[in-house]
Amino acid sequence: MGFDAPDRDIIDLLTKLKGAESEYPQHLLAAQRQRYLRRMAEVSVGIGAGIEVQSAVKPAASSTTSAVASKLVETALVLAIVVEAGAAAYVHRKKLSDLVQNVFRSAEVQEIFSPSVMTTPVTTAILNPEHTLTVSVGNTATPILPTVSASPPELGVFPTLTPIPALAGETLPAGATATQVEINETPSPDEENGDNGNHYGQTPKPERTKDNNGNDDKPPREDNGEPPKDNGGPPQKDPKPTKSK
Amino acid sequence: MKAAQKLDEEALTAIFDQFAPAIYKYTLRLCHDSIVADNIVGDVFAQLLEQFGAGKGPRTNLRSYLYQTAYHLVVDRSRDNQHNAPLEVAMGAYEGGQFSPTQSQIEERVMMEALISAMNTELTEDQRHVIILRFLEDFSLKETAEIIGKEVNNIKVIQNRGIAKLRKAMGLHLEEEDDDEW
């Protein structure tokens, strides 16, 4: 680096000043050297003990840092998977909606075809005795459910979720037994059995239990379809009102 | 350096023997107190041992590292203690009665004292520090910038301004001497 002539004079003076400075006093230098060697020995001993400690601490520290790093990576991966799943769901949203609708429709179909609870005593009392429901179940009313769970021994359950009602005269599906529930078809009124569906007046009348108003000698009225008649002749007419004089 | 980093006793002892006197002179120029300079030398090498023991410390330029450490310690002490030793401490080599100084030597001593006085009174702290590192310790501009913690261009500016101030102060001193002679 170049200096001007006046600056060179100053620099020369500074160079001379460097040589004219006092040296390090020997007694101070010796004492300082002893302290330095003592400290150096302490550091060497401490390092030897510290290395063993560091070797035990470093794996833990590294494992800690690696555990934290692995958690971060795992969290990042989960987030990435969630984001990708959301994106895929958005892209294929129509297909997914169709699939969901199909699933619900199949559930409804299952419900429609599930047989209802049947009770034999009440059913036979209402319907035509000729049309009976042969339910080879015990005397109790047992609901027939479309399940594959354990069932009473009288019931033979198909190994399917949806039972198949067997009609009279139809061949039973494979695997079915003769003890299956048989449901006869309700005969149509147009068949040649003389039943036109009109059952008016066919209900049996119950027996009379109360007294007949003192008319015990008289036989009970016959039921010939006519309305009941009063004792005597035609109904009495109302007396004519008399004129006052 | 590698041996010292491995805490080799011979290497560490050699480092102390080589750099301890220079660090003492450097700190003496800054703080003007021999006791303080001696304490700072002990602190500098104690810190060096701690850094090597911790596996840290300088990798390449050990000299710059030691001077930088000494500078920071001087600054810390100067904040705590504003006491400055007399200027004659820095000129102790000229004291002694075993030789009779010549005329030229006396003149030279007068110039030195004037220069030291100008450095202490005319220059700022940064200017004085740069001039000490550049011309009394023979550090390069880059090393000086690293020790002080400034840019190289900034160091150039500080140096030129410091020299200009010293030239102006020495020029006035020379004019005064000429006036005294007349």
Side-chain angles (χ1 to χ4, degrees):
Chain A
M1 184 175 178
F3 294 100
D4 295 335
D7 294 340
R8 294 301 307 179
D9 296 336
I10 301 299
I11 294 171
D12 292 339
L13 284 173
L14 290 171
T15 304
K16 289 179 180 180
L17 183 62
K18 179 173 62 175
E21 292 172 340
S22 57
E23 297 292 330
Y24 202 162
Q26 289 297 320
H27 64 283
L28 293 177
L29 179 59
Q32 199 64 251
R33 193 171 188 276
Q34 290 297 323
R35 282 195 289 269
Y36 176 75
L37 293 175
R38 213 179 306 122
R39 198 181 200 90
M40 189 169 58
E42 292 174 358
V43 171
S44 299
V45 173
I47 290 296
I51 287 174
E52 294 179 359
V53 175
Q54 286 179 3
S55 63
V57 171
K58 274 183 181 178
S62 63
S63 66
T64 304
T65 54
S66 64
V68 172
S70 65
K71 284 186 180 179
L72 290 173
V73 171
E74 185 179 351
T75 305
L77 288 173
V78 169
L79 287 175
I81 290 170
V82 169
V83 169
E84 287 182 5
Y90 180 77
V91 171
H92 302 286
R93 57 186 181 277
K94 290 185 178 179
K95 293 182 181 179
L96 288 174
S97 64
D98 294 338
L99 180 63
V100 170
Q101 289 178 3
N102 291 335
V103 169
F104 281 112
R105 284 175 187 170
S106 63
E108 291 175 0
V109 169
Q110 290 180 9
E111 291 180 1
I112 289 171
F113 282 99
S114 61
S116 59
V117 178
M118 289 173 288
T119 55
T120 47
V122 176
T123 303
T124 52
I126 294 172
L127 297 176
N128 190 335
E130 297 180 358
H131 299 87
T132 60
L133 289 174
T134 59
V135 179
S136 58
V137 183
N139 293 327
T140 59
T142 305
I144 302 173
L145 301 175
T147 59
V148 193
S149 58
S151 60
E154 294 80 4
L155 268 180
V157 181
F158 280 115
T160 59
L161 294 177
T162 305
I164 300 172
L167 296 176
E170 286 187 356
T171 59
L172 295 174
T177 60
T179 58
Q180 290 299 314
V181 175
E182 294 181 357
I183 302 174
N184 294 328
E185 184 181 1
T186 304
S188 62
D190 296 332
E191 293 180 357
E192 297 179 352
N193 51 5
D195 185 11
N196 58 357
N198 184 11
H199 302 284
Y200 179 73
Q202 297 180 1
T203 304
K205 292 185 177 181
E207 295 180 356
R208 197 176 187 82
T209 56
K210 291 184 178 178
D211 293 337
N212 195 10
N213 294 326
N215 296 327
D216 295 336
D217 295 335
K218 291 183 180 179
R221 288 173 295 179
E222 298 177 357
D223 185 11
N224 54 4
E226 295 179 354
K229 294 179 181 179
D230 294 335
N231 294 329
Q236 295 178 356
K237 296 182 178 178
D238 293 334
K240 293 180 178 180
T242 56
K243 293 182 179 179
S244 61
K245 288 180 179 181
Chain B
M1 279 294 293
K2 292 183 179 180
Q5 290 173 357
K6 295 178 181 180
L7 297 180
D8 182 54
E9 292 187 1
E10 292 182 2
L12 292 173
T13 305
I15 288 174
F16 180 86
D17 294 337
Q18 181 180 357
F19 293 105
I23 297 297
Y24 173 81
K25 291 180 182 179
Y26 170 68
T27 53
L28 186 63
R29 293 189 201 102
L30 296 179
C31 63
H32 308 295
D33 190 333
S34 59
I35 303 301
V36 172
D38 179 61
N39 293 333
I40 289 175
V41 168
D43 294 339
V44 167
F45 284 95
Q47 189 171 346
L48 179 67
L49 285 176
E50 290 179 3
Q51 292 294 319
F52 280 151
K56 301 176 182 178
R59 301 286 180 182
T60 54
N61 199 339
L62 176 61
R63 185 165 177 252
S64 296
Y65 174 82
L66 294 174
Y67 274 81
Q68 188 175 4
T69 305
Y71 171 68
H72 291 311
L73 291 172
V74 169
V75 170
D76 293 339
R77 283 178 178 268
S78 65
R79 292 170 184 170
D80 298 335
N81 185 10
Q82 297 296 327
H83 172 70
N84 288 325
L87 294 173
E88 287 77 11
V89 175
M91 299 296 291
Y94 282 86
E95 295 180 359
Q98 296 188 355
F99 66 93
S100 300
T102 61
Q103 183 66 27
S104 59
Q105 289 176 345
I106 293 172
E107 291 178 354
E108 188 174 331
R109 180 178 178 182
V110 171
M111 293 298 291
M112 294 296 180
E113 290 179 354
L115 181 61
I116 292 172
S117 176
M119 286 175 64
N120 291 329
T121 58
E122 300 296 329
L123 300 180
T124 63
E125 187 175 348
D126 287 339
Q127 290 170 352
R128 181 168 55 252
H129 197 192
V130 168
I131 287 176
I132 289 172
L133 290 173
R134 286 283 290 131
F135 302 108
L136 299 181
E137 300 294 340
D138 295 329
F139 279 106
S140 65
L141 284 169
K142 185 179 179 181
E143 293 173 335
T144 303
E146 291 178 356
I147 292 172
I148 296 178
K150 293 183 183 297
E151 298 293 331
V152 174
N153 293 332
N154 197 3
I155 296 298
K156 288 181 182 178
V157 172
I158 294 172
Q159 171 188 283
N160 293 334
R161 290 178 179 175
I163 291 175
K165 286 184 177 180
L166 289 176
R167 185 176 70 248
K168 185 178 179 180
M170 294 302 292
L172 292 174
H173 177 75
L174 291 172
E175 288 177 1
E176 290 176 358
E177 287 185 354
D178 293 339
D179 292 338
D180 291 339
E181 289 178 0
W182 288 104

